[in-house]
Amino acid sequence: MEKANLDWSNLSFAYKDTDYNVRCYHRNGEWGELEVSSSNTINLHMAATALHYGQEAFEGMKAFMGKDGKIRIFRWEENARRLINSAKGIMMEPVPEELFKSAIIKAVQLNEKYVPPYGTGASLYIRPLLIGSGPRVGVKPADEYLFMVFVTPVGPYFKEGFNPVKIQIARDVDRAAPQGTGRYKVGGNYAASLGSGVRAHDEGFAACLYLDAKEKKYIDEAGPANFFGIKENTYVTPKSDSILPSITNKSLQQLAKDMGLKVEQRPVPVEELPTFDEVGACGTAAVISPVKEIQDRDTGDVYNYGDKPGTISTKLYHKLQAIQNGDEEDQHGWVLTI
Ligand code: PLP
Ligand code: COI
């Protein structure tokens, strides 16, 4: 397979066209055929609920090229189930797991020449998305849905890569309400985070760190990633109903246990920030982004974790990547080789 002509080692997390994407409609109570398209646009009714009432959910996952020339997809079942959950959360038609699986495999295989070569640090980002495509003018769920998958080759989400970033606590913005949609991967959550995210960037930070909306007492998560802290041989990560259940975080918790660390998933008060030895943001796009500094925009408090990635974060990062690339045995059955 001839590879696309790209500067693989210097890719950023940005959209690049590939050759094909896949689509499937749910109409009249059933899913249709999976269609392959070479167009990057869709033809959409102007009254589609996705455009008016936010019926949109997406997923993010990655495919990796191994040393053995095989392509590996990480924990697709988890993403499939989360999309089902997101769909139900905003009254959309859930995509059956098997349809999800065939769509992502097809999208990856058709674009094999865009899977970044082993050793470049890049991967093929897979973006499944589901939208209400049927027209409504009253506030009601659509009667037609469109499921799509596109792929795009990417490098690190934060330009720093595996180098520590600064993040900013913003108390004047809520990303998600306590009983709202924060636990679903729906577009509206990201719309709610754009203003504070752009401001954080303008003020020199890689991302915003949100606190719980009700009390502003506990850490929720960063704009595009979950939060973790490490101290006393323990991996600590927030438990909250308004954050996305990150598959990377879940995997890191398992890897931390495998390494003999304790794992605590519980409310994490802001006052605990000075006690961590290491802090990181984790997610599919972010992988692990070590955090060197957290600034509280409103109180002026600053928390520092050092300019170098911490020992445990580094170990976790390498272990996760080794499994994803196929360099190490996939003990937990996380990887689908295609
Ligand atoms: N939190 C938010 C808000 C996200 O957008 C993401 C990215 O998917 C994550 C956390 C990390 O989740 P995952 O590890 O499943 O990619
Ligand atoms: C991911 O990590 O897959 C995400 O969706 C985060 C961000 C790009 C929204």
Side-chain angles (χ1 to χ4, degrees):
M1 167 64 60
E2 202 182 315
K3 285 279 166 200
N5 185 19
L6 294 172
D7 185 5
W8 301 106
S9 302
N10 291 305
L11 290 178
S12 58
F13 194 87
Y15 180 81
K16 274 203 173 355
D17 251 338
T18 56
D19 294 340
Y20 302 102
N21 54 77
V22 298
R23 298 137 188 240
C24 186
Y25 282 95
H26 187 275
R27 290 181 174 127
N28 304 319
E30 59 182 1
W31 287 101
E33 293 292 312
L34 200 56
E35 299 161 23
V36 173
S37 172
S38 53
S39 163
N40 54 15
T41 64
I42 54 171
N43 195 9
L44 190 61
H45 197 295
M46 66 173 86
T49 60
L51 300 177
H52 299 261
Y53 304 128
Q55 275 201 308
E56 190 275 346
F58 66 100
E59 273 303 325
M61 43 206 305
K62 280 177 174 171
F64 303 86
M65 180 63 77
K67 211 188 273 180
D68 56 6
K70 290 185 181 151
I71 301 170
R72 289 174 176 78
I73 301 179
F74 189 66
R75 303 196 79 171
W76 72 269
E77 298 95 329
E78 294 283 338
N79 294 87
R81 286 180 206 138
R82 192 168 65 188
L83 184 61
I84 289 174
N85 214 31
S86 299
K88 289 181 178 166
I90 58 167
M91 298 300 290
M92 295 198 292
E93 182 65 34
V95 177
E97 275 187 44
E98 282 311 308
L99 172 57
F100 184 96
K101 184 182 186 185
S102 31
I104 57 166
I105 292 179
K106 196 161 222 167
V108 172
Q109 282 176 335
L110 288 169
N111 294 293
E112 196 181 333
K113 69 180 198 209
Y114 296 96
V115 183
Y118 174 82
T120 55
S123 55
L124 189 72
Y125 187 68
I126 308 171
R127 173 55 66 89
L129 70 155
L130 175 66
I131 64 171
S133 50
R136 290 275 188 230
V137 69
V139 182
K140 272 193 276 189
D143 58 2
E144 181 192 288
Y145 291 88
L146 170 57
F147 171 55
M148 295 165 269
V149 181
F150 71 77
V151 297
T152 192
V154 296
Y157 188 72
F158 296 121
K159 64 179 185 331
E160 291 83 351
F162 188 61
N163 291 312
V165 297
K166 291 179 7 173
I167 57 178
Q168 178 184 61
I169 295 177
R171 291 167 185 264
D172 60 337
V173 179
D174 296 323
R175 174 183 178 274
Q179 308 292 327
T181 56
R183 77 193 92 146
Y184 308 126
K185 201 161 169 64
V186 298
N189 297 336
Y190 298 83
S193 76
L194 284 176
S196 48
V198 168
R199 186 180 65 186
H201 278 204
D202 290 348
E203 294 180 0
F205 299 88
C208 211
L209 181 63
Y210 300 97
L211 303 186
D212 83 280
K214 192 172 176 189
E215 296 187 85
K216 299 280 170 190
K217 224 174 138 178
Y218 301 100
I219 310 286
D220 254 356
E221 65 175 332
N226 273 185
F227 172 94
F228 69 87
I230 288 166
K231 63 175 181 186
E232 296 156 13
N233 205 40
T234 308
Y235 178 102
V236 183
T237 193
K239 185 175 172 65
S240 161
D241 286 338
S242 50
I243 65 176
L244 193 75
S246 154
I247 296 155
T248 311
N249 193 355
K250 190 173 173 183
S251 309
L252 293 176
Q253 290 176 46
Q254 181 62 52
L255 297 178
K257 280 185 199 154
D258 295 348
M259 285 175 191
L261 268 78
K262 278 190 286 179
V263 171
E264 293 177 6
Q265 192 172 19
R266 56 165 171 79
V268 180
V270 179
E271 292 78 61
E272 196 172 341
L273 285 178
T275 68
F276 290 118
D277 301 324
E278 300 177 30
V279 158
C282 64
T284 297
V287 194
I288 288 182
S289 277
V291 169
K292 63 177 172 192
E293 183 180 308
I294 302 176
Q295 258 193 46
D296 192 321
R297 193 172 188 276
D298 302 279
T299 64
D301 292 332
V302 179
Y303 310 94
N304 286 301
Y305 304 98
D307 284 342
K308 295 227 161 64
T311 323
I312 293 173
S313 303
T314 306
K315 263 196 190 164
L316 286 169
Y317 177 80
H318 289 308
K319 182 79 189 177
L320 179 68
Q321 290 217 315
I323 296 171
Q324 293 176 328
N325 290 326
D327 290 338
E328 272 193 40
E329 197 197 334
D330 174 25
Q331 278 180 331
H332 299 288
W334 287 344
V335 167
L336 171 71
T337 303
I338 58 171

